[in-house]
Amino acid sequence: MTQQTPAQLRAKAEADLKPIGQKRIKLLAQLEALDAELRPVLVQAVRMEVPLRRIYELTGVAPNTARAWRKADDTA
């Protein structure tokens, strides 16, 4: 086995990281688009007094986030 230089080790680490990082970036963009679609529906559910716990069960959106979305919608 040959010794690798620090530059080679960094390059390998970066090469290993790149495909996973690109996948994550793509998934985050998809999540952002989904949140834009979900947000008005969720805010309406909060207004209709659907329990925050139930909203979390159905969407995975944390109660604090649901409250913040509602508050931001009310001030908009």
Side-chain angles (χ1 to χ4, degrees):
M1 187 168 167
T2 62
Q3 289 278 18
Q4 292 186 326
T5 67
Q8 290 170 321
L9 292 170
R10 279 191 299 275
K12 181 180 180 336
E14 198 173 306
D16 291 345
L17 195 59
K18 186 175 180 177
I20 300 167
Q22 292 299 311
K23 186 176 181 179
R24 184 176 187 277
I25 290 167
K26 187 176 181 180
L27 287 170
L28 286 171
Q30 290 174 345
L31 179 59
E32 198 171 300
L34 187 59
D35 278 354
E37 183 180 342
L38 173 63
R39 189 173 179 153
V41 177
L42 185 144
V43 167
Q44 184 62 23
V46 173
R47 282 197 183 106
M48 295 301 108
E49 299 180 2
V50 175
L52 293 175
R53 174 182 255 168
R54 184 64 179 147
I55 290 171
Y56 174 72
E57 290 169 354
L58 294 170
T59 65
V61 174
N64 285 343
T65 300
R67 280 188 209 96
W69 285 2
R70 165 76 192 272
K71 185 176 180 179
D73 191 69
D74 286 347
T75 60

